[in-house]
Amino acid sequence: MFRFANPTYLYLLLLIPVLVAIYIVLRWRMRKQLRRFGDVRLLAHLMPDVSRVRVHLKFSLMMLALALVVFIMARPQFGTRNEEVKRSGIEVVIACDVSNSMLCQDINPSRLDKAKMIVSKLIERFDQDKVGLVAYAGSAITLLPMTADYVSAKLFLDQLNPSTVAIQGTNMAEAIQRSLLSFSDKKTVGKALILITDAEDHEDGAIEMAKEARKAGVKIFVLSVGTEKGGPIPMGDGSYKKDLSGNVVTTKLNERVGKEIAKAGNGLYIRADQSNQAQDILDAEISKMQKEDISMSMYSEYDEQFIAVAILLLLVLIAECCIMERRSPFIQRLSLFSRTPKSLLLAVAFLSVSTLMFAQTTERDYIRKGNREFRGGQFDKAETNYLKSLEQNSTFEGLYNLALTYLLQGKDSTAVAKMMDADSIGTDNPLKRAKNFHNLGNVWYAQGSYLLKSNQDATSAFQNAVNLYKSSLRCNPSDNETRYNLAKALYQLKKSQQQQQQNNQNQQQQQQQKEEQKKQDEKKEQKQDEQQQQQQNKQQQQKNDMSEQTAEQLLNSAQQDEKDVQRKIKQQNATSRSLEKDW
């Protein structure tokens, strides 16, 4: 496919008919002036060296050269070539439990929602890593193959719910097996499987599959969500999940299973709670893993064809220099270069400059191309061009623009890192530096608002926003928008501090209530133990007084009860295990 990269320059071709019209008028006036001296045919015999054809030919060649110059400026392109961008990272598969037990609200807001928040933050901190997503319950399915498209990963993550997998239950063995299929065959790249679950495994074989993953070079990080106390499973209609006997199901965190799987998978067991400690531990462990350059075909780029046009332009200019307006003998031909050195020098210089301009795309060209795609909303392509500009030269503008693309794609943490890199390079323009601080403050303000809304400690985020807004104002004191944002950040900082104090007070009150409740429970347990001891003493006394006939009747009754229990167990085993425990 043929196209021009800068078709706007083609409007310069309108100069050619204007110049042709001017040339025709000038030739007409020249011919009119010759008629004043006599007959034109007679004058032609008096000037045998003059050639009208050569004059027209030289003008035509100059117009052709002008057209070729315009074509070069418009950058003709034909054919495409695949461009590859090297990314240095690891491969991570996130296997998330979507069984009914993950709806339990023993962790606020629920186990599944908490898992989604952890995974979402984890994906935001990925930069050049590849990620895959697996959902499992009684069976496992691959929602997203291994990819670097973090936007799609977060999109699939938001859709996770118990209806994602048809068969309910918890089968971690199949989840591990399904996740192993998503990894590549590369042995040098770090591979991690993050298994998010409440560890309430209803099937066998998870530990054996974890050992297989360890042999394949995959580390398993078990991120458990839930509490040991547990709770009921809400069904969405105000009721709770019940078993086959009609009793309300209480799901509890099984830490023993999770620790055994993590140990067998050469990984780490991490328990998630209301704080961000689990998130920080997981990020630290993943950052230690071995990274490798992963080549990925990102996009197709058109091939530049200006060289062929430039060669044709050089030939046209040489031909125009070689053709003289007069019919010259051989000696005049030898003096050609002494007569027209400036034209040839101009042609060679122009061709050399144009070749240097278009032969290699500079970082400025990549930034300009990225800016056009950024304005068009193609943030992924803009990101690629900014990265290619940084490969040639790390500039403030390249890093800053790349940070904006990350910010608009929802990669807040990566955007902050790139903006900090841009600030470390610095710029002589105080307005650009002020805008960089302003955007950094906006990112921290957004993170603080999210934490505050989630009833978490947002003091540090708002404090960072306040400091960055102040730095922005130092660079540009007249920015009213930054002043307004600074006032909002100060208000939210005060609000966050008050909320944190209230939370601390609530925690202290809850701790006191727990201690009081614990004392009451201990008293009740002590009283129950005393009553139980008295009852056991009475039973022991009754047993001592029991006759042999009564003992024999009780023995027969117990045997009959045992037979009934065994019969019921056999009937229950005949029923599918997945239908028996669908949570």
Side-chain angles (χ1 to χ4, degrees):
M1 179 179 178
F2 179 81
R3 73 164 193 173
F4 288 100
N6 301 319
T8 307
Y9 290 109
L10 294 177
Y11 287 108
L12 294 175
L13 293 175
L14 297 176
L15 291 174
I16 295 178
V18 175
L19 294 175
V20 170
I22 294 174
Y23 175 76
I24 293 174
V25 172
L26 292 176
R27 294 297 300 180
W28 176 77
R29 290 183 63 182
M30 185 181 299
R31 191 176 182 85
K32 185 177 179 181
Q33 290 177 357
L34 286 175
R35 285 178 183 151
R36 295 178 182 178
F37 295 98
D39 184 60
V40 176
R41 295 180 180 178
L42 180 61
L43 292 174
H45 289 288
L46 296 175
M47 296 182 293
D49 295 336
V50 176
S51 175
R52 291 181 296 174
V53 176
R54 294 192 179 192
V55 173
H56 297 326
L57 180 59
K58 285 176 68 66
F59 178 77
S60 299
L61 290 176
M62 290 302 297
M63 293 300 99
L64 178 59
L66 178 59
L68 293 175
V69 170
V70 174
F71 287 150
I72 291 177
M73 295 174 64
R75 292 177 60 190
Q77 297 175 335
F78 181 76
T80 58
R81 53 190 173 89
N82 291 327
E83 286 288 334
E84 290 188 350
V85 177
K86 290 186 177 181
R87 296 176 178 267
S88 178
I90 63 173
E91 296 179 353
V92 180
V93 173
I94 301 171
C96 187
D97 187 356
V98 294
S99 60
N100 287 325
S101 61
M102 293 294 287
L103 297 176
C104 180
Q105 298 177 352
D106 55 348
I107 283 188
N108 188 34
S110 70
R111 294 179 180 179
L112 184 57
D113 290 335
K114 180 66 175 179
K116 286 183 180 181
M117 288 193 298
I118 293 175
V119 174
S120 180
K121 291 181 180 179
L122 183 66
I123 294 176
E124 287 179 0
R125 299 186 184 185
F126 286 159
D127 185 9
Q128 298 181 357
D129 304 306
K130 299 176 70 175
V131 61
L133 187 60
V134 173
Y136 73 95
S139 59
I141 59 173
T142 301
L143 293 180
L144 185 68
M146 196 71 69
T147 180
D149 187 358
Y150 305 139
V151 177
S152 298
K154 296 185 70 173
L155 180 64
F156 279 101
L157 178 66
D158 293 337
Q159 307 298 324
L160 285 179
N161 57 73
S163 62
T164 305
V165 180
I167 302 176
Q168 280 299 311
T170 306
N171 192 346
M172 289 192 284
E174 186 173 348
I176 298 174
Q177 183 179 13
R178 176 71 62 175
S179 300
L180 292 179
L181 300 176
S182 300
F183 291 102
S184 65
D185 296 332
K186 296 181 179 180
K187 297 182 179 180
T188 55
V189 65
K191 301 176 183 179
L193 169 58
I194 302 175
L195 192 67
I196 301 178
T197 181
D198 52 13
E200 194 171 15
D201 194 8
H202 294 165
E203 303 294 338
D204 299 328
I207 297 176
E208 287 73 14
M209 285 305 305
K211 294 179 180 178
E212 293 295 328
R214 181 176 183 174
K215 293 179 181 178
V218 178
K219 286 188 175 182
I220 298 180
F221 298 93
V222 179
L223 189 62
S224 65
V225 185
T227 62
E228 296 178 351
K229 184 179 180 181
I233 303 173
M235 298 305 296
D237 55 357
S239 63
Y240 294 99
K241 183 71 179 176
K242 296 181 179 180
D243 57 15
L244 298 177
S245 302
N247 300 321
V248 176
V249 174
T250 300
T251 174
K252 300 179 181 180
L253 176 65
N254 189 351
E255 286 194 294
R256 180 186 60 81
V257 175
K259 291 180 180 179
E260 290 179 355
I261 294 175
K263 183 178 180 180
N266 193 27
L268 188 66
Y269 175 82
I270 306 171
R271 180 174 174 178
D273 51 20
Q274 300 294 349
S275 66
N276 296 327
Q277 184 179 3
Q279 183 80 51
D280 297 336
I281 295 175
L282 187 59
D283 290 338
E285 291 296 327
I286 289 180
S287 62
K288 296 177 183 178
M289 299 186 65
Q290 182 179 359
K291 296 185 177 182
E292 185 189 60
D293 288 340
I294 306 171
S295 295
M296 297 181 56
S297 180
M298 297 295 295
Y299 66 98
S300 296
E301 190 176 67
Y302 287 89
D303 279 333
E304 299 283 352
Q305 302 297 334
F306 74 92
I307 296 180
V309 183
I311 293 174
L312 182 60
L313 172 62
L314 178 61
L315 296 177
V316 171
L317 291 175
I318 293 175
E320 194 275 338
C321 293
C322 293
I323 298 174
M324 292 184 296
E325 296 182 1
R326 296 182 178 184
R327 300 185 184 96
S328 57
F330 178 75
I331 297 177
Q332 291 178 335
R333 293 179 185 177
L334 293 178
S335 62
L336 167 66
F337 293 102
S338 63
R339 293 189 178 191
T340 58
K342 295 182 179 179
S343 300
L344 274 177
L345 183 61
L346 180 63
V348 174
F350 174 78
L351 185 62
S352 301
V353 172
S354 62
T355 304
L356 291 174
M357 289 177 59
F358 295 100
Q360 182 178 7
T361 307
T362 63
E363 77 275 0
R364 296 297 308 170
D365 296 327
Y366 285 124
I367 290 177
R368 283 193 288 266
K369 187 174 181 181
N371 292 342
R372 290 195 298 270
E373 292 165 342
F374 183 91
R375 289 190 292 268
Q378 298 176 335
F379 302 124
D380 53 344
K381 293 184 178 180
E383 175 189 345
T384 301
N385 281 291
Y386 293 144
L387 286 171
K388 296 184 75 173
S389 74
L390 294 175
E391 289 179 0
Q392 296 189 0
N393 187 19
S394 294
T395 60
F396 175 87
E397 186 175 0
L399 286 168
Y400 178 70
N401 292 355
L402 178 62
L404 289 181
T405 60
Y406 285 140
L407 187 62
L408 293 176
Q409 292 180 78
K411 305 175 183 178
D412 294 346
S413 301
T414 308
V416 170
K418 295 302 178 184
M419 284 183 178
M420 295 301 292
D421 292 341
D423 180 61
S424 64
I425 292 178
T427 176
D428 296 333
N429 191 332
L431 295 179
K432 287 186 177 181
R433 191 175 181 86
K435 195 63 178 176
N436 187 40
F437 285 127
H438 179 89
N439 287 330
L440 272 171
N442 290 346
V443 173
W444 282 109
Y445 183 89
Q447 291 184 355
S449 300
Y450 173 79
L451 294 173
L452 192 65
K453 186 178 179 181
S454 303
N455 198 24
Q456 300 183 45
D457 184 14
T459 304
S460 60
F462 286 123
Q463 186 63 57
N464 289 336
V466 168
N467 296 335
L468 289 165
Y469 287 142
K470 289 181 179 179
S471 300
S472 178
L473 286 174
R474 280 193 288 269
C475 297
N476 185 18
S478 62
D479 190 353
N480 292 327
E481 182 181 359
T482 304
R483 292 180 183 277
Y484 175 73
N485 289 1
L486 175 60
K488 289 197 307 181
L490 288 170
Y491 172 76
Q492 292 290 62
L493 175 61
K494 183 178 179 181
K495 184 178 178 181
S496 175
Q497 291 173 345
Q498 292 175 352
Q499 180 176 341
Q500 184 64 23
Q501 292 176 358
Q502 184 65 31
N503 290 339
N504 293 335
Q505 293 177 359
N506 293 337
Q507 289 179 0
Q508 292 177 0
Q509 292 177 359
Q510 292 176 0
Q511 185 66 24
Q512 292 176 358
Q513 292 176 358
K514 288 181 179 179
E515 292 178 356
E516 293 177 358
Q517 185 66 30
K518 185 177 180 181
K519 292 179 180 178
Q520 293 178 2
D521 292 341
E522 289 178 353
K523 291 180 180 180
K524 289 182 180 179
E525 290 179 359
Q526 185 177 2
K527 187 175 180 180
Q528 290 177 357
D529 292 340
E530 293 176 357
Q531 292 177 355
Q532 187 176 3
Q533 185 65 32
Q534 293 176 1
Q535 187 176 359
Q536 289 178 357
N537 293 335
K538 290 181 180 179
Q539 291 178 356
Q540 185 65 32
Q541 187 175 0
Q542 290 176 0
K543 286 181 180 180
N544 294 334
D545 298 338
M546 185 182 301
S547 61
E548 293 182 0
Q549 184 177 0
T550 305
E552 186 176 354
Q553 290 176 356
L554 290 174
L555 181 60
N556 293 334
S557 176
Q559 291 177 349
Q560 184 63 33
D561 291 341
E562 180 67 21
K563 291 180 181 179
D564 293 339
V565 170
Q566 293 295 333
R567 178 174 55 81
K568 290 181 180 180
I569 290 174
K570 290 181 180 180
Q571 290 178 354
Q572 290 178 355
N573 289 337
T575 307
S576 174
R577 190 171 189 179
S578 61
L579 294 176
E580 180 182 352
K581 290 186 177 181
D582 57 346
W583 62 85

